[in-house]
Amino acid sequence: MAAKAGDDPESLMTLATVFCLRNLRKTMCYQGLRNKLCLRSDIFLPSEICDKLVNTYMELIHTDSNFEPEESFFQLFSDPRSTRLTRVQLREDFVRDRDLEAIRKQDLIELHLTYCNSLSSRSLKTLSCFRDTLVSLCLFGCSHIFYRKSGAPLACIEDTEDEEEESPASRQALETDFNFQGFNRLRLLNLGGLPDEVDAETLLRPLRSLTSLDLSNVQLLGTAFLTQWKERLASLVLYNVDLSEELVSTVVELVNLRHLDISRESRRPKFKMTRKTLTAIVQRLLNLVSLDISGHMMLDNCTVPHFEEAMGRPRWRAPPPDSPTRSLSSSHQVVVSAQVTGSKNEDQVLNAIEAYTEFRPELAHRAINQLFDIARIQHCSQLLRALQLVIAALKCHKYDKSIQVTGSAALFYLTNTEYRSDQSVRLRREVIQVVLNGMEQYQEVTVQRNCCLTLCNFSIPEELEFQYSRVNQLLLKILEPARQDESIQRIAVHLCNALVCQVDNHHKEAVGKMGFVKTMLNLIQKKLQDRMCDQVMEFSWSALWNITDETPDNCQMFLNCRGMNLFLECLQEFPDKQELHRNMLGLLGNVAEVKALRPQLLTPQFISVFSNLLDSKADGIEVSYNACGVLSHIMFDGPEVWSMEEPRRDSVMDKMWDAIQSWDVSSRRNINYRSFEPILRLLPQSISPVSQHWATWALYNLVSVYPSKYCPLLIKEGGMSLLENVLELDSSQPETKDMARTPLDQSRLEPQGLF
């Protein structure tokens, strides 16, 4: 059997790491003073494990809403005698100055800080602690790290635990005392987004050994300083840096460059890319294997033949010379020896997502949009890669609305029926996780709709059960507002209904406690006010029918929340809506099965309504059948509880007999029983023969029409002996006894293998 996309199992290292992080106090830590998390004294962890712990911890924080961060987590790695950190990647505002200070004694080789806007200039002091070992440093998007908080000097490091760090760094308090003096081992540096107030030349001048430099979105006052690395620099990224003749002249002196990125966003730049400029780059930078010039205005004489003429051999391709903002194919060509990004084909689109996801979400967004079109209109041939790249983009940019919109839309098409058979359980679970992340982060219409639609591509509830509580909470949150987008409301109610159908009772009870019953009734109330019986109304009643099945607590909630009043109002407002009546009566059948709740149904008004519905021909026999079921359970409690004068008990029972006699016993049913227990309990009794007759008819019908499904259930739950009992009881009516023989005979004939 061929492996499915994403079928590789998680490594033991990954599983063990996640388990330890979720159970720190039971594995490697204990609770110290002031509830501080402390590493056990007998724990000694090498760098491979420590790096994995820290990096996985950050991933769980940003991708798993059920994961609780630990206030003192980074303190666990404060002592290099028991823990060793070498390669750490930290993202976004969660990381604070004191977290870096906690690990300042570690000999870090790589430190990647991305969009860590909670860091202030205090962290520059901490960076200096790593200067003897650091080889790779990324400060991309850390816009506040060069500013002090409240004017505090750089050298002031407070070690007190109760220091307030929530206030942002002041944009006026620029730190001017820091440079990279002493970072002699540093080879790779990313300063993307360096504030304009910081002089890049002064900051970088002490670094003599750089081989890779990223100055994306940095304003350069001068460019000559770049030549200090002309013998060493192999990679230079100047994305969104304003090009000039001076800068190009400087760049072409960096003769050992293998990768050069002078691309920019599609906004029209002042600098025009000419044949002379490109020829100079190609002829001077002989080691170049990767060049990104996307987003530039290409003049008409910048055509491929000129490149080949200048280069002497076809080492790379340039973008076509048409409009630079029309599409990815014209403005977004990364020119690589083996790979080209763009929109011409699936390979180019996937290359673009891979190349741009981490640091250029605006470009990744456009590429994912192109993938959306491929999956929607054509066919995605590299399904695993496409899904993994979109998942990675959604995880990396959880707070970027444009990525979440396009990514969730792409996932909808990449997980539909056409591709489903090729996807593993693990891969589909990853999709569900990022979809739920998007739903949590964005209450915006487009994201919510895309995410809900994507969830509809999964088998419900089976594939969502591992996130059962979370997905229900998110759907109920979507349905809370009184006025919600109609399409989202319809999809969300459909999902809610599917999630409570065919699940265990403990799941239903848990969802009921979340407010499920009240939310559905609120939707029904709103639709009544609008005098509208649509899919939302019908799905809401269907969901209530499912969630109250054999779940007394939820039945009680229904009654407590004015459910019976809404039932009566719906009957009056929508007398001809057959599907609605069936769903409502099915729900009330669940309520009637709970003995403690039946007295609340035993009123002249309700009994009259149920009695009148016995004559209903709506939805075949279903409305009449369900109404008779409600009354059968009420009658089962005996005449002593019938305290009303009208309608009379005998009259209602006569109508029940007539209704049952009118039903076609071969009717195919729009109903699904998980258990016969509520029906079987009506058989061994003499106080209400009509209740016994209704129960026997139900078993006769189900076993006759669906023998392979319901004969095993009847035998499993002891129904055979109870039906034999009916034949022996003197109080059983002859018609009832005749009817009881059929399910007995049918079940005896059913092949044993089906059990």
Side-chain angles (χ1 to χ4, degrees), residues 518-532:
K518 185 176 182 180
T519 298
M520 295 300 130
L521 291 173
N522 286 342
L523 291 173
I524 292 167
Q525 177 71 62
K526 171 62 178 58
K527 292 298 178 181
L528 271 170
Q529 291 172 358
D530 294 344
R531 305 186 71 178
M532 181 184 297

Side-chain angles (χ1 to χ4, degrees), residues 448-462:
Q448 295 286 350
R449 183 189 297 114
N450 289 351
C451 290
C452 286
L453 284 171
T454 301
L455 290 179
C456 290
N457 287 337
F458 292 81
S459 296
I460 304 171
E462 295 83 6

Side-chain angles (χ1 to χ4, degrees), residues 391-548:
I391 289 170
L394 288 168
K395 284 183 176 180
C396 187
H397 298 288
K398 181 179 177 180
Y399 306 108
D400 188 308
K401 179 184 170 183
S402 62
I403 291 285
Q404 293 297 319
V405 168
T406 55
S408 57
L411 286 181
F412 170 72
Y413 285 100
L414 291 170
T415 56
N416 67 14
T417 305
E418 179 185 0
Y419 302 106
R420 179 173 179 175
S421 61
D422 298 324
Q423 297 166 10
S424 69
V425 171
R426 177 185 167 191
L427 187 63
R428 288 175 71 81
R429 284 192 170 194
E430 282 192 74
V431 172
I432 291 169
Q433 291 275 27
V434 295
V435 165
L436 297 183
N437 290 343
M439 291 173 69
E440 280 174 339
Q441 185 61 34
Y442 290 96
Q443 303 305 309
E444 190 271 339
V445 170
T446 309
V447 175
Q448 295 286 350
R449 183 189 297 114
N450 289 351
C451 290
C452 286
L453 284 171
T454 301
L455 290 179
C456 290
N457 287 337
F458 292 81
S459 296
I460 304 171
E462 295 83 6
E463 287 191 281
L464 299 183
E465 195 159 4
F466 80 107
Q467 291 283 287
Y468 192 78
S469 176
R470 184 185 180 197
V471 69
N472 273 290
Q473 286 175 332
L474 288 169
L475 290 171
L476 293 179
K477 187 173 183 180
I478 288 174
L479 294 170
E480 277 178 9
R483 294 281 177 180
Q484 177 60 279
D485 178 85
E486 192 69 27
S487 62
I488 296 178
Q489 196 175 67
R490 184 173 61 253
I491 301 164
V493 174
H494 163 73
L495 286 168
C496 283
N497 188 23
L499 281 162
V500 294
C501 182
Q502 301 297 310
V503 294
D504 293 336
N505 289 353
H506 75 274
H507 280 320
K508 296 180 182 180
E509 290 169 357
V511 174
K513 291 175 182 176
M514 292 178 194
F516 187 100
V517 174
K518 185 176 182 180
T519 298
M520 295 300 130
L521 291 173
N522 286 342
L523 291 173
I524 292 167
Q525 177 71 62
K526 171 62 178 58
K527 292 298 178 181
L528 271 170
Q529 291 172 358
D530 294 344
R531 305 186 71 178
M532 181 184 297
C533 184
D534 57 5
Q535 286 186 320
V536 172
M537 170 73 90
E538 292 180 358
F539 285 161
S540 296
W541 279 108
S542 179
L544 289 170
W545 183 3
N546 283 318
I547 201 172
T548 54

Side-chain angles (χ1 to χ4, degrees), residues 620-646:
I621 68 168
E622 295 303 328
V623 172
S624 178
Y625 170 86
N626 286 329
C628 197
V630 173
L631 291 168
S632 293
H633 288 285
I634 292 173
M635 295 298 177
F636 181 67
D637 290 336
E640 61 272 12
V641 302
W642 198 277
S643 56
M644 70 194 82
E645 293 185 5
E646 289 293 337

